[in-house]
Amino acid sequence: MADALARTAARRGGMGARLIWYPITTSTNDRAMEEAVSGAAHGTLVVAECQSAGRGRLGRVWQSPSGAGLYLSVVVHLPAAVAPLLTLAAGVAVADGLRVSTGLEVQLKWPNDIWVDGRKLGGILAEAAAIQAERAVVVTGIGVNLAPSALPPDVAGRATSIEEELGRAVDRSLVLAEVLVACEERTRQLAEGGAPAMLADWRTLAASLMGRRVTWDRGGEAVEGQATGIDDTGALVVVTAGGVERIVAGEVRWS
Ligand code: BT5
């Protein structure tokens, strides 16, 4: 890992300049959050070989078997105004990093999924550590499946990995290093007024899912519509029988 990180050091800026590595931990987001609240610098990186309590959104589990995936969290400092776009930007960064390091092309599914042809390859879990008037500190967790592994049956049928998709082994350290390079580029892009360009890239990566039907829960009522895109705040825009709705957060089921 040290080699790949050394070779990309000039392109990574502060991202991963400090690396904290665990053979096993509950969740890299837990460790990175501890770092963030005690003042860790932008780019502080936590990586684990295995997570005993890997988390998704809304209390869900992220299966994190040993050696089968990349489990990492970075502490990101950025202007508060663009912090809500960080989940989308991290998705674009993962797509960039995988393309550069392996040639694999992925799709993005709102809000936080990395997909390949309908199967989940990875996901993003962004958790705010501190939001002040102007600056935000956000722990950005990234999970990417590297190799096939024994996942519970309900997950296995809907999951995939880089090596399954490519049919060959990949250099894991290079994948990590290039994902970090892309995280640095995309967070800098957000911080320097480049949100429209990041959103344009996100839309391209999510194009195959647009036009699909989605259902979600609105105060106990199931609502259905057709996803047409995201707006400039990152909200999902859905056309329903009653008009156009913007979904800011929460769970959306795609069909
Ligand atoms: C996510 O949540 O997709 C965010 C995943 C973030 C994981 C990283 S790993 C490093 C850092 N530390 C953490 O503890 N978390 C972050 P969500 O959209 O809620 O999706 C969760 C759902 O994905 C689960 O309910 C399963 O259906 C499915 N799933 C769980 N593990 C999976 C895996 N390894 N591969 C594919 N799908 C999985």
Side-chain angles (χ1 to χ4, degrees):
M1 194 190 293
D3 242 27
L5 290 177
R7 273 186 277 127
T8 51
R11 293 187 291 128
R12 277 188 291 111
M15 201 59 75
R18 179 168 163 241
L19 163 65
I20 305 163
W21 184 84
Y22 291 89
I24 181 168
T25 190
T26 52
S27 156
T28 55
N29 267 35
D30 293 345
R31 301 292 81 76
M33 186 60 78
E34 291 161 4
E35 293 294 325
V37 297
S38 43
H42 171 74
T44 300
L45 169 67
V46 179
V47 180
E49 189 66 16
C50 167
Q51 297 183 119
S52 57
R55 291 187 272 119
R57 294 178 311 130
L58 309 169
R60 290 187 289 242
V61 170
W62 185 256
Q63 302 291 338
S64 314
S66 183
L70 272 185
Y71 315 115
L72 66 106
S73 302
V74 283
V75 176
V76 175
H77 293 213
L78 80 176
V82 291
L85 296 176
L86 193 55
T87 297
L88 300 183
V92 176
V94 171
D96 292 342
L98 296 188
R99 187 184 311 111
V100 171
S101 59
T102 71
L104 182 64
E105 294 287 345
V106 300
Q107 297 108 43
L108 300 180
K109 193 179 76 154
W110 191 92
N112 69 321
D113 280 359
I114 320 290
W115 277 61
V116 180
D117 300 335
R119 286 170 181 259
K120 188 155 170 163
L121 180 88
I124 311 292
L125 178 66
E127 298 180 305
I131 299 187
Q132 281 144 13
E134 306 234 310
R135 301 291 294 172
V137 180
V138 183
V139 168
T140 307
I142 297 175
V144 177
N145 297 328
L146 286 164
S149 62
L151 296 172
D154 60 317
V155 177
R158 293 179 285 121
T160 189
S161 66
I162 298 175
E163 294 190 355
E164 269 170 284
E165 291 301 323
L166 293 174
R168 63 176 170 86
V170 295
D171 179 342
R172 297 160 177 226
S173 303
L174 185 63
V175 175
L176 170 66
E178 292 296 346
V179 166
L180 292 173
V181 168
C183 282
E184 174 63 19
E185 289 169 356
R186 293 296 178 172
T187 51
R188 196 171 345 108
Q189 181 180 43
L190 277 187
E192 293 176 355
M198 185 283 291
L199 289 167
D201 290 340
W202 193 93
R203 290 183 181 107
T204 302
L205 289 162
S208 61
L209 282 150
M210 291 306 157
R212 296 268 288 271
R213 297 213 74 74
V214 292
T215 50
W216 73 101
D217 184 271
R218 187 177 52 202
E221 176 203 3
V223 189
E224 188 186 83
Q226 186 181 28
T228 58
I230 54 166
D231 69 13
D232 290 347
T233 69
L236 185 69
V237 180
V238 181
V239 178
T240 69
V244 176
E245 300 220 14
R246 293 172 60 253
I247 306 177
V248 176
E251 181 60 359
V252 168
R253 288 173 298 284
W254 296 76
S255 47

